[in-house]
Amino acid sequence: MSDAPGNRPHDNQTCAFCKIIRGEEIASIVFENSLSLAFLDHRVSQSVPHVHIHLVPRHRNDGLKGFFWPRQRYQDEAHLQQVRDILRGAIASLQSGL
Ligand SMILES: [Zn+2]
């Protein structure tokens, strides 16, 4: 692999994603394997130099327009944990083939 900037692994002391990966910032992780890490968002729109995918639940009249969707905070920590646990359960079901 060349040493061109685009081919170097990114590791930055201030990057929120790098902090989560290093375990320096708390995240509500819903899935993790050797190639990927999935966690709930907790801030509005930030730019990070990582390939990432936003999974946005859809429902009728949800206001999604193109790439932008209405951002909402979790009601409280219990709500965040409930969402995390629902996603973990869905992922486990998918992995078990159910
Ligand atoms: Zn980073």
Side-chain angles (χ1 to χ4, degrees):
M1 180 183 292
S2 95
D3 198 28
N7 291 333
R8 286 186 221 139
H10 169 76
D11 187 13
N12 183 298
Q13 294 301 312
T14 61
C15 171
F17 280 25
C18 286
K19 287 181 177 180
I20 291 170
I21 292 165
R22 288 193 303 266
E24 297 171 3
E25 188 161 323
I26 295 172
S28 293
I29 295 172
V30 296
F31 176 78
E32 181 174 9
N33 68 12
S34 63
L35 298 175
S36 60
L37 179 67
F39 52 88
L40 300 180
D41 65 332
H42 75 109
R43 265 202 289 188
V44 174
S45 297
Q46 61 185 53
S47 180
V48 291
H50 294 269
V51 174
H52 62 280
I53 300 168
H54 295 262
L55 298 176
V56 181
R58 300 295 317 272
H59 53 86
R60 187 178 298 276
N61 299 320
D62 61 9
L64 182 84
K65 298 200 184 322
F67 182 73
F68 301 100
W69 61 91
R71 309 290 170 100
Q72 299 175 346
R73 293 183 179 273
Y74 298 98
Q75 297 163 0
D76 52 28
E77 181 65 22
H79 181 229
L80 183 139
Q81 290 177 8
Q82 178 186 27
V83 171
R84 180 200 62 203
D85 291 345
I86 289 170
L87 290 171
R88 284 180 177 174
I91 292 167
S93 292
L94 290 170
Q95 289 179 315
S96 68
L98 297 177

